[in-house]
Amino acid sequence: MADLNTPVRYIRGIGEKKAQALGKLGVFSLYDLISYFPRKYEDRSVYKPIALAQNGESVCVRALVADTPRLTRIRRGLELVKLRIADESGLAELTYFNQPYVKDNLHRGESYVFYGKMEVSGSRRSMVNPIYEREGAEGGVTGRIVPLYRLCAGLNQRVVMQAVRQGLDACGELLPEPLPEELRQRCGLAQARYAYENIHFPADFGALALARRRLIFEELFVLACALDRMRGQRVRDGGILLAPVEMEPFWASLPFRPTGAQRRAVAEALGDMRSGAVMNRLVQGDVGSGKTLVAAALIWAVWKNGLSSAFMAPTEILAEQHFATLSGLLSPLGLRVGRLTGALTAKEKREVKAALKAGELDLVVGTHALFSADVEYARLGLVVTDEQHRFGVEQRSALIGKGGRPHVLVMSATPIPHTLALIIYGDLDVSVIDELPPGRQKVDTFPVDESYRARLDNFIRRLTSEGRQVFVVCPMVEENEDLPVKLKSAQEHAAELAARFPELKVACVHGRMKAKDKDAVMAAFAAGETDILVATTVIEVGVDVPNAALMIVENAERFGLSQLHQLRGRVGRGPHKSYCVLVSDAESEEVRARLAIMRKTNDGFQIAEEDLRLRGPGDFFGSRQHGLPETHIADLGADTQILQRAKAEADALLREDPELAWPEHALLRERVEKLFQSGRDSFN
Ligand code: ADP
Ligand code: MG
């Protein structure tokens, strides 16, 4: 007897080779197999008499083979089988290309179902390569909605479909039901068995919708439970109580006035820290909106209360940069600021750790090294994490576990839809910085094509002769001959530029370099030692080079709008008028429309919305940038209503049974722990 863990080899028709191919798709057991959901569906449920099918319509027809199929060889490598079929309404001519065996499979005078696109020209009707089978055939591929799966070499649709069919027959009854019965009924969700059956072999589109909804809900519900448990119980009481702090002295110490949005964010966070509960706040603001200053203000207020803070950055270079910025702002006010980064020697690290333990530092800036097991904090009051675009869920919880229950401030430049923020961050509070510091100039943006190359070169000459620096971003690291279109590679382009501008210093940085080398090149550029930095998107993650005034993006069509926006945010950070040039030879209307949006607006939220609209959420949340585990069926960007409901239900359930210890939650617990395990590598 098969069960869900039985290897796919068990299935009739799946031998060594096919099992290996399935393995490439992540399918090993029967459970994997029936959890391998179709990519899309083809509606083959419509039957029509031959004479009523419209030109171009995809239909099933029931018909007799009217003559003996004829095989002809047109030339080497091209064989045709031709035959005619008939029903009561009329005739159609069929042609099969390079399928000589069709000749022997279809017999004159016998009846079959054919599915394909009908072509009508005058009174002549024809179909090319229609699918055929005997009516009522087992595991039929006509007369219904047919699943289409993502394939790889060694598999075809029929093989996968028939394997899934057998898998469902063998153990559909054994499917676990991780959703508590009461919840399932209350939320109007289909049963597991029904959902798995209909996601593969939908009885009709209504059944498919029910199946999808149930499976999406299940996936998001498990994800919400996992994230919630990983974060640990949100501590509602027992937050460190801050005494009121008069902020004016801090504001007065700055070389500029804070924006209204910055003041508001600080006031909101201070309110949290005076409430008695532990603060859990997200500060969301576009690149350049001044989030660091909000953090600095709060670190200062916490210090006024005799407590220390930790500031965690996503990369070494950002940690160094934040260290420089924050000590510049805070040391003059009397705070002792330290750093814990890869740049330190082992001895220096030991010293910093000792100082932290002894309470001799008021602020430490670093990367995830801040939460390694051997780092102990005295009087830790506030943890700030700058996430840029990644959501370091696990790292954050590790840091939060340190030294009691510090307040938490998360900073993010990614405009995440609120529902998604909820599931990622839990029931946190959100401050939005919707105002840029005054005097910030709009970065003028120009979409251009290759014909502008000479003018662009002159522009580079002019700006660099004025002392400015230039970023050039390419979509690839190295030349790749295999790609159909020629894409600029960072290395090659850097070499070209170096040849065209012998008087300028050109450097190149890309993701395949060692972190140390990367940081060195970036640091040299930040210090003004190089004029042009050619890069892949590694520079997206915010290094501040106020002297850079031109951002050139090559093959701009390859980038998402939000990504282009982040890239553009690298310039215009200083007093100099700045520009962004988007080079693209792509002619498609869609690309033109997208690049035009970049010219029109500098508003990151508006751009994110347009991006979502034009490209769909898949790309927006693509490349696993968000650090969440991959979802199989749910779309984090689109399924927001189900997401909201799943999140609310997960919260409610965990309030009742935080450890998922109840017997009726055993299966759910298993699923949550499994996700937890597989997520370990990706939750950061
Ligand atoms: P981000 O939100 O992208 O992290 P930063 O905190 O790095 O933005 O701030 C971007 C730049 O704006 C910094 O150079 C910072 O000194 C400057 N800045 C921040 N707040 C103000 C302000 N209120 N007035 C003028 N400049 C500011
Ligand atoms: Mg920043």
Side-chain angles (χ1 to χ4, degrees):
M1 266 299 286
D3 62 34
L4 290 164
N5 294 320
T6 304
V8 283
R9 280 293 303 270
Y10 166 87
I11 301 261
R12 200 164 17 91
I14 300 292
E16 185 79 41
K17 280 237 169 66
K18 292 201 173 86
Q20 266 176 15
L22 283 168
K24 286 204 190 97
L25 300 172
V27 174
F28 302 97
S29 66
L30 294 188
Y31 184 60
D32 297 336
L33 181 64
I34 60 183
S35 306
Y36 191 68
F37 301 139
R39 188 170 52 86
K40 55 182 188 182
Y41 303 84
E42 197 163 84
D43 185 2
R44 300 182 191 164
S45 61
V46 180
Y47 281 94
K48 284 221 170 154
I50 291 176
L52 293 186
Q54 307 288 315
N55 185 28
E57 191 180 10
S58 292
V59 286
C60 293
V61 296
R62 278 188 198 93
L64 287 175
V65 174
D67 52 14
T68 305
R70 303 168 304 279
L71 173 67
T72 45
R73 287 201 173 73
I74 302 291
R75 54 182 155 79
R76 193 198 283 269
L78 183 59
E79 293 173 318
L80 301 182
V81 175
K82 284 184 170 282
L83 64 141
R84 286 187 302 167
I85 59 169
D87 66 8
E88 285 167 1
S89 74
L91 271 178
E93 290 170 21
L94 306 193
T95 309
Y96 287 89
F97 287 95
N98 287 340
Q99 299 175 41
Y101 48 86
V102 170
K103 178 176 173 294
D104 304 318
N105 289 353
L106 292 174
H107 305 288
R108 176 178 182 179
E110 292 184 13
S111 176
Y112 303 86
V113 177
F114 298 88
Y115 169 81
K117 197 197 285 183
M118 185 69 77
E119 284 160 39
V120 183
S121 147
S123 61
R124 191 170 161 267
R125 286 164 185 271
S126 59
M127 289 173 127
V128 173
N129 293 346
I131 290 160
Y132 60 90
E133 64 187 0
R134 285 194 192 270
E135 197 165 6
E138 199 198 335
V141 291
T142 61
R144 56 179 163 102
I145 302 167
V146 176
L148 295 177
Y149 299 90
R150 193 165 57 83
L151 300 174
C152 65
L155 294 172
N156 63 38
Q157 293 295 352
R158 215 182 268 243
V159 166
V160 177
M161 190 175 116
Q162 285 173 356
V164 171
R165 180 67 268 161
Q166 289 182 60
L168 280 169
D169 290 342
C171 48
E173 299 303 332
L174 306 173
L175 277 165
E177 178 53 91
L179 298 178
E181 185 59 19
E182 181 274 328
L183 170 117
R184 192 183 65 72
Q185 299 209 1
R186 189 160 37 77
C187 299
L189 299 167
Q191 285 175 335
R193 170 74 228 229
Y194 178 92
Y196 278 85
E197 178 67 32
N198 281 282
I199 199 75
H200 291 288
F201 304 107
D204 52 49
F205 284 102
L208 177 58
L210 279 177
R212 272 183 58 79
R213 180 158 179 280
R214 140 97 215 192
L215 293 167
I216 290 171
F217 184 97
E218 177 180 329
E219 180 162 53
L220 295 175
F221 182 72
V222 171
L223 177 63
C225 287
L227 286 169
D228 239 41
R229 300 234 324 135
M230 184 151 46
R231 253 189 317 266
Q233 283 297 92
R234 167 97 189 261
V235 193
R236 275 158 210 292
D237 311 306
I240 303 162
L241 199 62
L242 248 57
V245 178
E246 173 53 57
M247 289 307 295
E248 258 334 296
F250 176 78
W251 298 134
S253 78
L254 299 174
F256 43 68
R257 297 190 52 72
T259 63
Q262 285 170 324
R263 280 181 189 271
R264 203 160 49 240
V266 168
E268 284 165 357
L270 287 176
D272 295 348
M273 295 192 281
R274 288 203 296 268
S275 72
V278 175
M279 172 170 77
N280 192 20
R281 181 169 288 275
L282 169 68
V283 174
Q284 215 177 54
D286 212 346
V287 268
S289 60
K291 295 183 289 292
T292 319
L293 188 66
V294 172
L298 296 172
I299 292 165
W300 183 80
V302 164
W303 170 70
K304 278 284 187 189
N305 272 266
L307 299 165
S308 68
S309 301
F311 186 113
M312 184 169 84
T315 65
E316 290 285 345
I317 183 152
L318 277 171
E320 290 294 339
Q321 193 170 321
H322 281 306
F323 171 71
T325 311
L326 290 167
S327 44
L329 288 168
L330 296 169
S331 304
L333 300 174
L335 279 81
R336 296 162 296 177
V337 184
R339 62 181 168 154
L340 198 54
T341 66
L344 301 188
T345 64
K347 179 161 168 284
E348 287 169 325
K349 281 181 193 157
R350 271 199 307 278
E351 285 166 7
V352 173
K353 285 175 197 166
L356 279 173
K357 195 172 172 186
E360 290 161 8
L361 284 176
D362 303 308
L363 168 64
V364 62
V365 182
T367 57
H368 54 281
L370 288 179
F371 69 81
S372 20
D374 61 343
V375 184
E376 289 173 56
Y377 292 87
R379 350 163 262 118
L380 186 61
L382 172 65
V383 172
V384 181
T385 76
D386 182 9
E387 312 228 306
Q388 294 293 337
H389 317 299
R390 303 180 66 91
F391 311 120
V393 179
E394 195 182 347
Q395 298 183 346
R396 195 160 57 233
S397 64
L399 195 50
I400 293 164
K402 297 248 172 214
R405 300 163 163 181
H407 297 292
V408 177
L409 187 79
V410 179
M411 308 195 299
S412 170
T414 310
I416 334 162
H418 186 66
T419 41
L420 189 57
L422 266 183
I423 196 171
I424 296 169
Y425 296 110
D427 45 354
L428 47 42
D429 306 297
V430 182
S431 298
V432 177
I433 308 200
D434 49 6
E435 183 185 353
L436 290 183
R440 191 59 61 76
Q441 306 172 17
K442 181 172 170 293
V443 177
D444 285 345
T445 303
F446 305 98
V448 304
D449 58 32
E450 275 305 323
S451 68
Y452 281 75
R453 185 64 69 188
R455 269 192 264 178
L456 186 53
D457 283 356
N458 283 335
F459 194 45
I460 294 176
R461 267 188 207 101
R462 200 190 93 205
L463 285 176
T464 49
S465 72
E466 289 167 6
R468 301 291 79 75
Q469 289 165 282
V470 180
F471 280 116
V472 182
V473 173
C474 296
M476 314 216 323
V477 179
E478 293 165 4
E479 224 41 20
N480 185 344
E481 296 296 337
D482 302 340
L483 283 178
V485 264
K486 185 116 174 100
L487 294 180
K488 287 275 180 198
S489 87
Q491 285 170 351
E492 189 127 339
H493 195 56
E496 272 173 41
L497 287 174
R500 283 218 295 281
F501 301 101
E503 71 283 12
L504 298 179
K505 284 222 182 61
V506 181
C508 180
V509 63
H510 55 76
R512 270 191 228 153
M513 289 163 66
K514 286 204 197 96
K516 233 177 111 188
D517 300 337
K518 213 157 55 185
D519 288 354
V521 175
M522 298 288 257
F525 187 68
E529 290 160 22
T530 25
D531 301 294
I532 304 180
L533 183 65
V534 183
T536 52
T537 46
V538 288
I539 61 155
E540 198 185 329
V541 184
V543 182
D544 211 5
V545 186
N547 192 42
L550 174 59
M551 164 64 65
I552 300 172
V553 183
E554 300 286 347
N555 291 108
E557 74 280 359
R558 306 287 296 189
F559 297 84
L561 286 188
S562 294
Q563 211 177 2
L564 288 175
H565 180 64
Q566 301 291 343
L567 289 171
R568 179 168 62 183
R570 298 299 108 216
V571 296
R573 308 195 129 220
H576 316 289
K577 172 76 200 153
S578 299
Y579 308 87
C580 173
V581 178
L582 306 171
V583 187
S584 173
D585 262 351
E587 275 158 17
S588 92
E589 277 302 312
E590 194 219 322
V591 171
R592 297 269 147 247
R594 279 173 43 210
L595 298 184
I597 290 165
M598 292 300 296
R599 193 183 58 221
K600 251 189 359 235
T601 178
N602 269 271
D603 178 338
F605 280 80
Q606 200 182 330
I607 286 170
E609 262 168 36
E610 292 282 346
D611 211 8
L612 207 56
R613 197 173 60 76
L614 284 172
R615 306 215 307 170
D619 279 331
F620 185 66
F621 295 106
S623 66
R624 312 192 65 192
Q625 212 179 35
H626 47 64
L628 291 174
E630 229 159 345
T631 49
H632 288 286
I633 183 163
D635 182 330
L636 291 175
D639 296 321
T640 49
Q641 266 177 354
I642 306 181
L643 179 64
Q644 227 155 359
R645 182 79 193 261
K647 167 73 182 153
E649 292 292 346
D651 285 351
L653 187 128
L654 287 170
R655 262 198 302 279
E656 294 280 311
D657 180 15
E659 298 299 321
L660 296 176
W662 299 0
E664 61 265 46
H665 296 157
L667 277 171
L668 177 60
R669 185 192 169 113
E670 205 176 290
R671 286 282 302 277
V672 164
E673 275 166 5
K674 213 159 143 199
L675 188 67
F676 208 139
Q677 234 92 60
S678 64
R680 284 233 167 247
D681 304 329
S682 52
F683 283 123
N684 59 59

